[in-house]
């Protein structure tokens, strides 16, 4: 039998729909918690796409595509 995993330690993709409210209530929404989550997300992205032995254009092109979409949305406020 697998060991029981606490709901707090469960990843978002593994949370059932009925548990979503209680899972969100356990998150840290303080400025420090939000900055920590952003830092962890950046580190995961950097280690997966940028800091690799044999890299490609995948990581850089995703950042560039995101920038293009955001700048397009900011330029055309009627969208």
């Amino acid at each position: 039998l697998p060991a029981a995993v606490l709901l707090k330690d469960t990843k978002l993709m593994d949370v059932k729909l009925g548990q979503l409210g209680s899972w969100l209530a356990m998150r840290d929404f303080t400025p420090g918690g939000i900055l920590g989550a952003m830092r962890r997300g950046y580190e995961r992205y950097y280690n997966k796409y940028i800091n690799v032995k044999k890299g490609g254009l995948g990581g850089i092109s995703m950042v560039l595509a995101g920038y293009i979409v955001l700048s397009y949305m900011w330029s055309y406020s009627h969208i």
Side-chain angles (χ1 to χ4, degrees):
L1 292 170
V5 178
L6 295 174
L7 185 60
K8 182 179 179 182
D9 298 331
T10 307
K11 294 180 181 179
L12 176 61
M13 295 301 292
D14 297 331
V15 174
K16 304 286 188 256
L17 192 57
Q19 300 171 330
L20 187 60
S22 57
W23 183 84
L24 282 173
M26 292 183 199
R27 300 293 100 195
D28 184 13
F29 288 108
T30 62
I34 293 171
L35 285 175
M38 291 174 64
R39 179 180 47 87
R40 288 189 305 273
Y42 171 77
E43 288 174 359
R44 287 184 65 197
Y45 173 82
Y46 182 80
N47 288 326
K48 186 173 182 178
Y49 294 107
I50 307 298
N51 189 22
V52 293
K53 288 183 179 179
K54 188 175 181 181
L57 294 175
I60 302 296
S61 62
M62 281 192 285
V63 171
L64 183 61
Y67 171 73
I68 289 170
V69 168
L70 280 176
S71 64
Y72 182 81
M73 287 170 46
W74 288 332
S75 297
Y76 297 99
S77 59
H78 62 277
I79 294 179

